[in-house]
Amino acid sequence: MNSRIEHDCIGSMDVPDDAFYGIQTLRAAENFKITGIPISHYPHIVNALAYIKKAAAITNNELGKLDDDKTKAIVFACDELLCGKYHEHFIIDIIQGGAGTSTNMNANEVIANIGLEFLGYKRGEYDNLHPNIDVNMAQSTNDVYPTCLRIALLDKMELLMGSMEYLRESFAAKGEEFSHVLKMGRTQLQDAVPMTLGQEFTSYAVMIGEDIERVREAMSLICEINMGGTAIGTGLNAPPKYAPKVTEKLKELTGFELVLAHDLIEATQDTGAYVQLSGVLKRVAVKVSKICNDLRLLSSGPRCGLNEINLPPMAPGSSIMPGKVNPIIPEVVNQIAFTVIGGDVTITMAAEAGQLELNVMEPVITASLLNSLTIMRRGFRTLADRCVSGITANEDICRGYVENSIGLVTALNPYIGYEKSTEVANEALNTNRSVYDIVIEKEYMSKKELDKALSPESMISTHPLNLDPNI
């Protein structure tokens, strides 16, 4: 394989001729053989880097620091990346030491070499367009990398909210479909009071809708960036007016409501926004996982469980038990939730590990947040398409549970009092007789009054019944 010789402050190395990356990228690839997942696996990261380098080049040109030819070359290279080209040259592992310096240099080198060819030079002829001097002008990894992460997160968060809305609509549709299906509500896995299956599914839609708003709130924290702070937030090597101008340019290029942090020293070291976002993602994951637990329980059986609903069969469930079908879609979403919860612990510890003016653990924060956002987005659409949309109700079973439940007696509290209601409940439980028959026998209520009070449809009302026999 043909190669070119490149050098850095450590020494020289042979870089493959066909590589658009350079020596610092190659060193990092050799140093960090960790997850086996390169940056190219995260196109949102590559695109965010391209936006940053393009915005910086245009800003530096407008401030008279970068000439027109170099600016055009850098902008061309960034636009190529934004079109999806050259991503395979981002070869560094997503988890790395150095606070993301290797990721920043991977971008600088790829953009420089694409730009060199645009200008008519060969790759590696950095005297004509240098990765550090030109592409990285007025920048440091310590403002580029966190800004890159935030732009990537904003992109992924919008996608997640789209999936959450899709899932919410799926549950809401089932809420309407099952609005007439009477069933028994349960607390602590014991019979409680009647409700409709529609109310149960509508509550799931409401839960998810609330969390869409929580994710949207977290986005406002992620919109704050520290571009122009350079190494520690003091702005060393950045020209006057650079920070607000590059922020405005990034806002224009990305379409996100990016704002420059008020205190760049604080913003360079603070990872609190990531902790906040991770906590919100954990909240969403926990609540959706709870819903999946409910779906598995409500569909349990089919002969020896609750069997109130049927989940669509997606695959044979056993290699030894013929005809068995398992709730595999809720199960995989449960496991997604466990992964997100584990990622939250990782992000918490990484944020805590910051020291003085920089947190060097941002690469693992990046990997954890992007992974959580990806699997949640995919998982929620899978849950909606391959489970919720195909759920059917076993109406006769649901109603049968209501009619045979001791929980019916709760509706009698306003009319015969708690003591008599308890007496009826205990007798019904001990004798396996119905609540209805016992109340009539004891003459606690007339048949007409009882029929009205114990009407299952009436018991889902939020208002007490008027038992006036003339009404």
Side-chain angles (χ1 to χ4, degrees), residues 67-101:
D67 69 44
D68 290 345
D69 288 342
K70 290 182 176 180
T71 301
K72 290 176 183 177
I74 293 172
V75 168
F76 171 81
C78 292
D79 286 341
E80 291 286 275
L81 293 176
L82 291 169
C83 288
K85 300 179 181 179
Y86 303 102
H87 283 213
E88 69 274 16
H89 294 274
F90 287 78
I91 64 172
I92 301 172
D93 199 289
I94 188 66
I95 295 182
Q96 58 198 247
T101 296

Side-chain angles (χ1 to χ4, degrees), residues 347-376:
I347 292 161
T348 300
M349 297 307 298
E352 185 276 338
Q355 296 171 317
L356 303 177
E357 279 67 57
L358 184 66
N359 187 314
V360 301
M361 308 300 177
E362 283 195 355
V364 77
I365 293 175
T366 299
S368 297
L369 282 175
L370 293 180
N371 182 58
S372 292
L373 286 163
T374 297
I375 62 176
M376 289 172 75

Side-chain angles (χ1 to χ4, degrees), residues 293-312:
N293 294 341
D294 288 355
L295 297 179
R296 291 193 292 122
L297 186 58
L298 293 171
S299 65
S300 60
R303 297 294 176 84
C304 301
L306 294 181
N307 195 29
E308 292 187 344
I309 63 173
N310 305 300
L311 304 186

